[in-house]
Amino acid sequence: MSEQQPNPYSGDNGAPGGPGYGYPQGYPATPGTPGYGYPATPPAPAPGYGYPATPPAPGYQPTVGGAGIPAPVQPPAYGGGSGFALGDITIVGDQIMTPSGPMPLKGAMWNATDLSRTETKIPTHAVVLAIIFFLFCLLGLLFLLMKEKTTTGYVQVTVTSGGRHHSTMIPAADASTYPWVMNQINYARSLSI
């Protein structure tokens, strides 16, 4: 076989037990000390998501009457009404927030279109019960008075303000969805004045 050659790049020419290439360091006497498999110094915690590198310097703290008592902090003042949402349209302060960008609340035009429909039909179990009880007595025809209402479709809400336009569709859960949406739009119109 071939004879192992010393490492020309190491200072000790790769002597056994030395720090040359291919020869591990001896195990440390105590766990955690630098050596083979342990870093020389523990890495400093790097700032990550949510952890600033250094704590922020304290800013100017206004005081009341020079007595050293901090002044109460005022929340940011927003004009307009309180926040509410209609689909993906949200009113926050004096702005209308939409996925297509913010719009001014003042002077906004609101519209709603009912694209839903409510169907009334006799359910299948009522027809079966009417046939069964018709054979025994004529009262079985009363089962045909059972009705089932199903509402399908959407209510479209559009808002136009500041040269922008946004439209959203709200699914109609029942026949009272459109009056509820109109109630919300009338509130939004009152905020837009």
Side-chain angles (χ1 to χ4, degrees), residues 87-166:
D88 59 0
I89 300 172
T90 307
I91 295 179
V92 178
D94 61 349
Q95 297 238 332
I96 303 169
M97 304 302 282
T98 65
S100 59
M103 302 179 203
L105 179 61
K106 190 117 178 124
M109 300 290 294
W110 297 85
N111 291 315
T113 307
D114 188 10
L115 302 173
S116 65
R117 69 171 193 233
T118 302
E119 297 175 344
T120 305
K121 67 176 189 170
I122 300 172
T124 307
H125 64 275
V127 174
V128 170
L129 289 173
I131 292 171
I132 290 173
F133 282 98
F134 177 73
L135 298 175
F136 296 115
C137 61
L138 295 176
L139 294 176
L141 295 176
L142 292 176
F143 285 108
L144 295 178
L145 296 177
M146 293 173 58
K147 303 289 184 203
E148 184 177 75
K149 290 185 178 184
T150 57
T151 302
T152 57
Y154 295 92
V155 176
Q156 182 182 22
V157 176
T158 59
V159 60
T160 305
S161 179
R164 289 191 170 182
H165 174 81
H166 183 73

Side-chain angles (χ1 to χ4, degrees), residues 22 30 33 35 46 55 63 76 84 91 101-102 114 118 126 142 154 161 164 178 184 187 190:
T30 59
T33 59
T63 57
F84 84 97
I91 295 179
D114 188 10
T118 302
L142 292 176
Y154 295 92
S161 179
R164 289 191 170 182
Y178 183 67
Q184 296 293 322
Y187 177 65
S190 70

